[in-house]
Amino acid sequence: MDWKSTERLDNNTERQKSSVFFFIWTYYEKQIRDAMLTVVPDGLPVHDAIYSRHDVPIASFEVAVKQQTGFEVKISH
């Protein structure tokens, strides 16, 4: 799929590919979020992030994500 194109797609196949991509992406996003939750005792999942009252170095989250998922993720606040 050409994500840079602004042309309307009339082909339902392209829409189905986008839907599959969305579900795959959300699956991996949940794995990353779950790994981040293991770093804090009070973490709450919030869409594509987590919330905690604990002040934890960002590097701790990045290391946990890498160890538990194999993904290298750069996290910001």
Side-chain angles (χ1 to χ4, degrees), residues 21-74:
F21 175 79
F22 172 77
F23 286 110
I24 292 169
W25 172 255
T26 55
Y27 171 75
Y28 290 127
E29 187 177 69
K30 182 180 182 326
Q31 285 186 322
I32 293 166
R33 194 172 54 248
D34 288 348
M36 292 171 64
L37 287 170
T38 66
V39 176
V40 292
D42 65 340
L44 297 171
V46 184
H47 181 56
D48 60 353
I50 67 163
Y51 172 82
S52 171
R53 291 181 183 224
H54 287 81
D55 188 14
V56 179
I58 290 175
S60 299
F61 292 110
E62 294 174 344
V63 167
V65 170
K66 177 67 173 168
Q67 288 175 342
Q68 295 177 43
T69 68
F71 299 133
E72 271 190 46
V73 174
K74 298 297 179 194

